[in-house]
Amino acid sequence: MTEKTCPITNGLPTLRERPFDPPQVLSAEGPICRMTFPDGYEGWLVTGYQQGREILSDKRFSSAAAHKHLAFPSDRAQDLGAEIPGLFEHMDPPEHTRFRRLLAGQFTLRRMRALAPRIEEITAQHADAMLRKGPPADLVADYSVPVSSQVICELLGVPGGDRQRFEADSEKLLRLDIDPQEAQAALMDLVELTGELLMRKQAEPADDVLSVLVAGEDITLPEAIGATLLLLVAGHETTANMLSLGTYALLSNPGQMDLLRADESLVEGAVEELLRYLTVVHVGVQRSPTEDVEIGGVTLRKGETVLIHLPTANRDPNQFADPDRLDVTQGRLGHLTFSHGIHQCLGQQLARLELRIGYTALLRGFPELRLAVSPEEIPMRSNMTVYGVHRLPVAW
């Protein structure tokens, strides 16, 4: 295969031509092509599903932070927190295995199903509060964020009084246009908060994830802090934005919304389709080969940075029929939204459960839910590392 150069010379574009679709330029030269990162580094962009899946499952590719580069143009000099111990997304085995083994039992499908009644209570609580408040409401602030935040905080063992502090800090960490000093201050505040929580769990352990982390025999306190930061931010932001953006997508496709209102049994499959169709982690994931590896006829050299763009891979027409159409009857499993391989999202079953319950509560409690503003007035999260909407004004 002839090596191709993408028409991307300063990292990934941050703006989308259409709110639910990846930037069209990213698939123009795929499935593997050269890409220039914002710092000038010449790496690779992968937009093909099969090629991305192959890389993510190949043990010859490293996840270490040393070979990673910022994907978007930003004032940040480096990936915030990349040097913090315990961020196991930046680790390879055996270090990565050490964390996954300790935490895997906290996120099993069986444990998630046991949490379902409590998640239903939390969701109903915030749906009822939004109903009492009356329209118009902001689905982001009144529903999606508080639901996802309360669920992950209760699972981890974060007191309710600390939720707003962590929400504000995590929002700052995901902004691409934030002053670097402000972002660093937010990170340090989260590190301080997490350290305080873990010290409390050492003194008074409970049945929660933080207690498991702090009790781990081969995990240091700094490593436990880093792992907690990853679980808190990733576990909250992705689900919150999927709840809001997924609702926006359904309201923008009324025929699909009508299908769900008529048959709630479609919700489980609809969650998979929305996860594929929207793919809110629009920065993709990065890997680096530990030796020369040929993928799709292209030789990726040892140490080169490879960016797998998950939103575009999930729209690959070679993998998904009519990929740019939202079809809640499809329930297309096999998408790469939760990544693949040993780094596949630890909390994916929790996310699926929250989304199923969260969408169902909206379908039942708000049968006439609609947008309260025109689509042009909805601010998209183009300036964030996790995509979605900043606000979603709705009425009923």
Side-chain angles (χ1 to χ4, degrees), residues 76 80 140 145 164-178 182-183 186 190 233 236-237 241 381 383-386 390:
R76 301 179 185 181
L80 281 170
V140 175
V145 168
Q164 289 187 336
R165 179 178 169 187
F166 123 71
E167 288 171 12
D169 284 337
S170 64
E171 192 273 341
K172 291 176 182 177
L173 291 181
L174 298 182
R175 280 177 49 193
L176 297 169
D177 56 358
I178 194 172
E182 187 179 356
L190 269 180
V233 176
H236 155 62
E237 288 285 349
N241 283 286
R381 287 170 54 106
N383 64 329
M384 310 291 286
T385 60
V386 176
H390 285 291

Side-chain angles (χ1 to χ4, degrees), residues 74-95:
S74 174
D75 291 333
R76 301 179 185 181
Q78 60 183 359
D79 188 9
L80 281 170
E83 301 303 319
I84 292 179
L87 297 180
F88 52 92
E89 68 172 344
H90 296 307
M91 297 178 184
D92 297 322
E95 290 80 9

Side-chain angles (χ1 to χ4, degrees), residues 321-376:
D322 202 3
D324 294 327
R325 183 172 69 92
L326 176 65
D327 184 354
V328 298
T329 67
Q330 288 285 328
R332 295 185 246 208
L333 294 169
H335 56 74
L336 297 177
T337 301
F338 294 116
S339 190
H340 186 66
I342 64 170
H343 284 277
Q344 194 168 36
C345 176
L346 189 64
Q348 61 179 294
Q349 299 304 338
L350 175 63
R352 287 183 165 104
L353 182 61
E354 282 187 71
L355 294 174
R356 289 199 294 268
I357 293 173
Y359 291 138
T360 299
L362 291 176
L363 290 169
R364 292 176 180 175
F366 302 85
E368 297 181 0
L369 191 70
R370 64 185 185 278
L371 296 177
V373 297
S374 65
E376 294 75 21

Side-chain angles (χ1 to χ4, degrees), residues 301-339:
R301 301 295 180 186
K302 177 182 178 180
E304 290 187 314
T305 297
V306 182
L307 172 64
I308 302 127
H309 194 254
L310 303 181
T312 307
N314 277 338
R315 297 292 190 93
D316 188 342
N318 293 315
Q319 180 66 26
F320 303 102
D322 202 3
D324 294 327
R325 183 172 69 92
L326 176 65
D327 184 354
V328 298
T329 67
Q330 288 285 328
R332 295 185 246 208
L333 294 169
H335 56 74
L336 297 177
T337 301
F338 294 116
S339 190

Side-chain angles (χ1 to χ4, degrees), residues 7-26 35 38 70-75 174-178 280 282-283 307 309 311 379-388 390:
I8 300 171
T9 57
N10 190 30
L12 296 174
T14 59
L15 298 177
R16 301 187 178 200
E17 296 88 355
R18 294 184 292 271
F20 309 121
D21 299 341
Q24 294 177 357
V25 69
L26 295 179
M35 166 184 165
L70 283 178
F72 287 112
S74 174
D75 291 333
L174 298 182
R175 280 177 49 193
L176 297 169
D177 56 358
I178 194 172
V280 295
H282 69 159
V283 296
L307 172 64
H309 194 254
M380 307 306 298
R381 287 170 54 106
S382 301
N383 64 329
M384 310 291 286
T385 60
V386 176
Y387 191 62
H390 285 291

Side-chain angles (χ1 to χ4, degrees), residues 148-160:
S148 61
S149 175
Q150 187 171 348
V151 169
I152 193 64
C153 283
E154 289 193 8
L155 177 64
L156 265 62
V158 177

Side-chain angles (χ1 to χ4, degrees), residues 102-103 105-107 111 115 151-159 197-198 200-202 204-216 228 231:
L102 179 64
L103 291 167
Q106 303 300 306
F107 292 92
R111 184 171 173 82
L115 289 174
V151 169
I152 193 64
C153 283
E154 289 193 8
L155 177 64
L156 265 62
V158 177
L197 292 174
L198 287 165
R200 286 184 226 162
K201 296 298 180 182
Q202 274 188 331
E204 299 179 16
D207 183 20
D208 53 45
V209 176
L210 291 186
S211 297
V212 170
L213 272 171
V214 82
T228 302
L231 294 171

